[in-house]
Amino acid sequence: MYRKDGNPDGNPYRTHTAGELRAEDVGERARLAGWVSRRRDHGGLIFIDLRDRWGVTQVTFDPDSGEVFRAAEQLRPEWSISVEGEVARRPEGNENPELPTGEVEVVAGSLRVLNESLTPPFEVDRERPVDELLRLKYRYLDLRRGRMRENIVFRHRVVKHMRDYLDARGFVEIETPLLTASTPEGARDYLVPARLYPGQFYALPQSPQQFKQLLMVAGFERYFQIARALRDEDQRGDRQPEHTQLDLEMSYTTQEEVLNLVEDLYVEIVEGLSEKKLGAKPFPRLTYREAMERFGSDKPDLRFGLELGDVSEIARTSEFKVFRGAVEGGAGGSVRGIAVGGLGDLSRREVDELATIASLGGARGLVDLKVGKDGGLSGRTAKFFSGEEGEALRAALGAEPGDYMFFVADAKDAVVFESLNRLRLHFRDRLELADPEELALCWVTDFPLFEWNEDEGRIEPMHHMFTMPREEDVELLDSDPLKVIGQLYDLVANGVELASGSVRIHRPDLQQKVFSIVGIDAEEAERRFGAMLTAFRYGAPPHGGIAPGIDRLIMVLRDEPNIREVMAFPKTQNARDEMMDAPGPVTPEQLEELHIAIRMPTRRGPEQPPREAPNV
Ligand code: ASP
């Protein structure tokens, strides 16, 4: 692309990039363009680190160069320049082994200032922490920084690899509309008023789910898309209003095929493009039940042990009321624990802090017991357990002398799991149990098709309502829907969910049944999902797919703490675009055209969930 010979017919700004000159080029003429990264004035000479997308090259200005030198004296950080000169070997002792171009410099013969720069609001050339709001407001400067540039370029490579991989396997990339009708994925829709249809709205897609299934009815067999998914959720933690997923779908396929396809792709990406060490291969497969019982989570981090042990049977006959109470009555409660070594002796306050962590998962208390050198137990509640029971507790958790055992007892299994999951992850970080270089991928399968939404008192799909039940469970749809297992799968890495997918329902009668279980009657189904239900009546093939999230994958591969670091233009945690200042008001004329009148809320701020009535 660039003319190495500096031919005047070539690019007027550069003959080389700032990342490519090497010792072999010494003696050649080169023209470089980019930003002034740093200027140092030294022993009468001026040194510029000139930065472009490909790297940094040192440029020197000699006072003998007269006017050029005087122009260089004016240069400030982030000015855009083009310099031309001879490539020279750096004087001995001045090489920079950290830079690929570190053996050479360009001795400037001419300098063109292409554009000056205001003093940047933060130093672009240093990797010092900068306030994130400022970074987002001046994202175009933030993106000039090395770490961000590498993240974005890395992201491009991963996405390109996905495209090539799928293309080689017969997949077709097809775009689906942004302005469309709602496809529910469990979040709120972003709505767009339709000017031509007063009072009516398009919904931005929460995913291309219905379209990809319709593309299967249309016979494309293998579809993918690097798709944007828009979900208007309250901004908890690491959510963004828009995220990108590798959306894919196949016809005449099975769960096994989808898993193998994605697994091979991820092995290639991790081993071929990243510096991460891949964990077990093939990826371990755990059923949802197994993941919960062993790790207390359907997103298990497999890089370390601390697996849960179930002591419900021991609890059933225990004198200790907290234990017995949780499992009595057979209402689905349990008592489970983890054994943790290397903690020494914990103070009362430290144990209380652990109880606070467990309480975030709902636990109303944490039982701690320490195993002595002789195997005996100590702790506030040790007196409730006979020697035999103590032995059984130890055996159930695999506790060694010197270990602590922590137990959570609750009438709800989900509380026990979530509380112990939080403790397990706390100890992972506190005791540095997980290798930060490792990426331990696994599949979690056999999720329940539905879950019970306690707050709203109704059944909800665990993933979405287009998921096929396991064949052997179809009968249970009528009798006990919460027991039905779906053909549903998640890909998980180091405790983070990277992908979700399922085999889909392709028969209209079954689809209608699932709709009615989640409270959508035939009329509403026809209104909301009419196209899909009708399409299913035209010989819809069996099909299934998955949608790996791209932002999260890049985040874990690049060791970034959140997905904003791997998106070029993310929103803030409050869902604002600081740089473009969006959302913002529109003119009365625009509202008029849309037939919209604004009624301002009386109270500002995000909507609060309704408070639960206090127990009296
Ligand atoms: N549409 C789903 C999602 O976005 C993924 C899938 O089922 O393929 O989470």
Side-chain angles (χ1 to χ4, degrees):
M1 172 162 55
Y2 304 107
R3 307 285 300 258
K4 282 213 167 199
D5 55 6
N7 186 319
D9 296 338
N11 185 288
Y13 302 108
R14 57 159 64 108
T15 53
H16 299 75
T17 72
E20 70 179 296
L21 294 174
R22 299 285 183 274
E24 306 85 87
D25 300 307
V26 166
E28 282 206 38
R29 286 200 75 73
R31 197 184 308 136
L32 304 180
W35 289 291
V36 175
S37 195
R38 275 185 215 193
R39 193 188 95 191
R40 295 178 301 276
D41 298 15
H42 248 300
L45 291 175
I46 294 177
F47 296 86
I48 296 282
D49 283 345
L50 183 140
R51 165 182 17 94
D52 69 10
R53 209 199 89 191
W54 290 272
V56 172
T57 302
Q58 177 163 292
V59 182
T60 56
F61 296 84
D62 196 301
D64 294 342
S65 63
E67 229 170 85
V68 177
F69 185 81
R70 275 191 298 284
E73 282 180 315
Q74 306 304 313
L75 295 177
R76 294 287 176 274
E78 303 313 314
W79 285 26
S80 181
I81 60 172
S82 172
V83 272
E84 184 163 351
E86 191 178 310
V87 183
R89 187 176 287 281
R90 291 197 194 185
E92 224 178 288
N94 286 3
E95 299 91 349
N96 181 352
E98 314 239 305
L99 273 186
T101 61
E103 281 183 281
V104 299
E105 58 193 10
V106 172
V107 181
S110 70
L111 163 68
R112 269 202 298 157
V113 171
L114 304 172
N115 210 346
E116 298 181 6
S117 168
L118 296 174
T119 303
F122 48 83
E123 288 172 293
V124 171
D125 74 321
R126 279 180 222 268
E127 294 299 326
R128 274 196 209 145
V130 177
D131 174 58
E132 199 189 9
L133 271 191
L134 204 58
R135 289 178 54 206
L136 292 178
K137 186 165 168 69
Y138 296 93
R139 190 60 155 185
Y140 42 86
L141 295 179
D142 191 41
L143 289 171
R144 284 186 194 170
R145 307 171 98 202
R147 184 179 106 196
M148 289 308 294
R149 183 177 58 242
E150 281 165 25
N151 284 353
I152 300 299
V153 172
F154 178 76
R155 182 181 175 122
H156 156 75
R157 289 204 202 305
V158 170
V159 171
K160 167 148 186 345
H161 194 93
M162 289 172 166
R163 286 197 154 105
D164 294 344
Y165 177 93
L166 292 171
D167 175 67
R169 285 160 183 76
F171 282 78
V172 182
E173 183 166 10
I174 304 174
E175 290 170 77
T176 56
L178 279 181
L179 292 177
T180 177
S182 172
T183 282
E185 292 276 357
R188 211 179 271 118
D189 287 326
Y190 276 104
L191 298 173
V192 179
R195 180 180 56 82
L196 298 177
Y197 302 90
Q200 298 190 26
F201 295 82
Y202 299 101
L204 301 178
Q206 290 185 36
S207 85
Q209 187 64 34
Q210 294 193 72
F211 287 103
K212 69 172 163 176
Q213 293 193 237
L214 290 167
L215 285 168
M216 295 304 104
V217 183
F220 282 96
E221 300 252 356
R222 294 185 155 212
Y223 140 94
F224 83 98
Q225 177 182 194
I226 306 297
R228 205 63 70 79
L230 298 113
R231 301 179 187 183
D232 186 2
E233 295 173 291
D234 291 332
Q235 298 302 299
R236 276 181 284 128
D238 199 17
R239 302 276 169 95
Q240 280 280 312
E242 3 186 346
H243 71 269
T244 307
Q245 57 191 31
L246 168 61
D247 199 50
L248 70 89
E249 198 74 10
M250 293 191 269
S251 290
Y252 304 110
T253 193
T254 59
Q255 169 166 322
E256 190 63 22
E257 270 185 10
V258 179
L259 266 46
N260 290 337
L261 174 89
V262 174
E263 180 158 334
D264 290 349
L265 170 63
Y266 274 57
V267 169
E268 285 188 8
I269 290 173
V270 178
E271 292 186 339
L273 299 179
S274 87
E275 275 155 26
K276 290 276 174 195
K277 217 163 55 194
L278 191 63
K281 209 167 57 168
F283 302 166
R285 294 187 185 183
L286 292 84
T287 63
Y288 170 79
R289 193 70 219 158
E290 187 186 355
M292 296 307 283
E293 283 186 349
R294 289 177 56 196
F295 304 99
S297 167
D298 58 4
K299 300 187 254 299
D301 187 340
L302 298 189
R303 289 174 299 171
F304 66 106
L306 296 197
E307 292 193 21
L308 278 51
D310 186 352
V311 299
S312 304
E313 278 316 307
I314 307 165
R316 216 173 287 287
T317 52
S318 167
E319 244 181 66
F320 185 37
K321 269 215 215 111
V322 172
F323 273 23
R324 211 178 55 238
V327 290
E328 257 170 4
S334 66
V335 183
R336 296 168 200 269
I338 50 173
V340 189
L343 289 174
D345 280 310
L346 298 174
S347 69
R348 182 74 181 261
R349 194 173 51 85
E350 284 177 301
V351 174
D352 288 346
E353 280 165 10
L354 295 173
T356 307
I357 294 166
S359 74
L360 298 174
R364 277 170 299 170
L366 183 67
V367 173
D368 63 292
L369 291 169
K370 184 161 184 190
V371 185
K373 279 208 191 75
D374 57 354
L377 302 185
S378 60
R380 280 173 282 177
T381 55
K383 58 175 183 276
F384 294 110
F385 302 101
S386 68
E388 214 175 283
E389 284 173 325
E391 198 42 50
L393 292 176
R394 266 187 55 184
L397 267 53
E400 301 285 334
D403 284 3
Y404 268 89
M405 299 195 289
F406 298 101
F407 297 96
V408 175
D410 203 278
K412 283 188 194 140
D413 231 6
V415 165
V416 177
F417 286 138
E418 181 53 22
S419 306
L420 288 172
N421 172 42
R422 286 183 186 245
L423 272 185
R424 188 174 172 265
L425 297 180
H426 165 80
F427 288 121
R428 171 191 68 186
D429 299 339
R430 170 166 167 174
L431 302 169
E432 296 181 1
L433 300 176
D435 177 355
E437 297 312 316
E438 181 182 346
L439 196 73
L441 284 141
C442 67
W443 290 106
V444 181
T445 62
D446 294 276
F447 285 79
L449 192 60
F450 304 107
E451 61 189 339
W452 181 248
N453 182 329
E454 195 122 345
D455 295 336
E456 295 175 26
R458 60 184 180 86
I459 285 188
E460 274 181 352
M462 187 93 159
H463 183 42
H464 52 53
M465 36 196 152
F466 312 114
T467 300
M468 182 74 111
R470 257 190 343 197
E471 242 165 77
E472 60 268 40
D473 290 357
V474 171
E475 307 248 296
L476 283 173
L477 282 173
D478 291 313
S479 54
D480 199 351
L482 285 170
K483 284 235 167 70
V484 176
I485 304 287
Q487 297 189 44
L488 252 174
Y489 31 85
D490 276 6
L491 181 62
V492 174
N494 296 0
V496 176
E497 179 193 310
L498 290 187
S500 273
S502 61
V503 173
R504 324 297 184 186
I505 298 170
H506 63 278
R507 288 200 340 249
D509 54 333
L510 198 54
Q511 184 65 72
Q512 182 56 64
K513 180 167 278 182
V514 168
F515 283 151
S516 59
I517 290 171
V518 298
I520 298 177
D521 62 22
E523 196 189 313
E524 185 183 352
E526 206 50 53
R527 182 165 48 75
R528 290 175 61 188
F529 307 109
M532 196 139 113
L533 285 172
T534 306
F536 283 177
R537 295 187 185 104
Y538 289 94
H543 58 285
I546 191 166
I550 290 180
D551 313 287
R552 283 212 200 146
L553 171 66
I554 309 294
M555 173 188 92
V556 286
L557 291 178
R558 295 285 302 167
D559 271 329
E560 290 292 358
N562 64 64
I563 59 174
R564 298 186 296 285
E565 301 296 332
V566 300
M567 300 170 99
F569 298 108
K571 312 267 187 291
T572 65
Q573 270 180 306
N574 295 327
R576 280 200 67 80
D577 183 334
E578 276 298 313
M579 185 179 67
M580 305 303 275
D581 202 14
V586 297
T587 63
E589 294 74 30
Q590 285 174 301
L591 288 175
E592 185 71 23
E593 267 182 344
L594 295 168
H595 309 276
I596 285 182
I598 303 286
R599 205 175 64 204
M600 290 306 271
T602 39
R603 211 160 31 92
R604 279 189 56 104
E607 213 178 274
Q608 299 294 321
R611 281 230 223 114
E612 270 178 15
N615 284 328
V616 277

